[in-house]
Amino acid sequence: MVFDKEESQPVTNFMCCVITGTLVLFALIIAAILYLTVFKATNPVITVKSVTVTNPHMSNYSDLQHSVVSFTVTIYTAVKNPNVERFKYDNNTIVFYYYGTQIGIINSVRGGQIVAEETEYLSATLTVQPFPFIPVSQNPDFFSDVNSSKIIPIDFTVYMGGDARILYFFTSYVKSIVYCNFVIDIKQRTNLRMECL
């Protein structure tokens, strides 16, 4: 029996196309699964390790209405990159609040990167300019809290964002934010507890 080459050629070409298409589709499905699971970009994990306050000062204890407060604070953080590729950050911001009013901000201009599944330790220091001791919010419990203990509550947020590399060629923007607070004891000139959410 003799096969006609002209009749078998289209069948062979068709089978090659089907097999190639199937392999390409299978490769795309595997790549999509890996991209959405193993190589999915994950936000960095920020942990505030400690807060150190130095030189807390109140201008006038006897006249709280006209008193101002200033201090220097250093924040120590640990940032973990949970991704399987490097995380390149370029935006690291710490904002300080006193009864809802912003009293200071640290904008880190130094970028950097954290290799896969590693942790980097960072610190930032800010000298907070004198701000009114009487908060704008006029919290009803403010005077009783201050007169009884001479403590000042400070809230702050730590924000970091940047690009996480995926499958070497692609990047995805990831970010994290942490909310914390600490208390300054003006009489003892030190900071007390620190808590983060």
Side-chain angles (χ1 to χ4, degrees), residues 8-156:
S8 62
Q9 186 84 22
V11 175
T12 304
N13 290 343
F14 176 74
M15 289 305 294
C16 287
C17 290
V18 169
I19 293 172
T20 303
T22 302
L23 291 175
V24 169
L25 181 61
F26 182 73
L28 290 174
I29 291 172
I30 295 297
I33 292 172
L34 290 174
Y35 179 82
L36 295 174
T37 56
V38 178
F39 296 105
K40 182 181 180 181
T42 306
N43 293 328
V45 179
I46 302 173
T47 304
V48 178
K49 306 299 283 185
S50 66
V51 174
T52 302
V53 173
T54 55
N55 303 320
H57 177 71
M58 179 184 289
S59 64
N60 190 346
Y61 281 104
S62 59
D63 184 8
L64 295 181
Q65 293 285 350
H66 300 94
S67 182
V68 294
V69 178
S70 63
F71 60 90
T72 299
V73 59
T74 301
I75 307 292
Y76 299 92
T77 59
V79 183
K80 179 176 176 58
N81 174 18
N83 297 291
V84 295
E85 296 266 4
R86 65 110 176 105
F87 165 61
K88 185 176 182 180
Y89 61 89
D90 55 5
N91 191 353
N92 184 9
T93 305
I94 304 175
V95 184
F96 297 88
Y97 300 92
Y98 177 60
Y99 283 97
T101 301
Q102 181 178 314
I103 58 171
I105 184 169
I106 302 174
N107 282 313
S108 175
V109 294
R110 180 183 66 87
Q113 68 177 18
I114 306 173
V115 298
E117 300 178 341
E118 290 293 327
T119 300
E120 183 169 328
Y121 296 90
L122 305 169
S123 65
T125 301
L126 173 71
T127 297
V128 177
Q129 298 302 311
F131 58 91
F133 185 61
I134 305 300
V136 177
S137 64
Q138 292 294 327
N139 187 313
D141 298 325
F142 172 75
F143 286 104
S144 61
D145 290 344
V146 169
N147 288 328
S148 62
S149 57
K150 293 293 189 292
I151 61 172
I152 298 175
I154 303 294
D155 300 314
F156 68 97

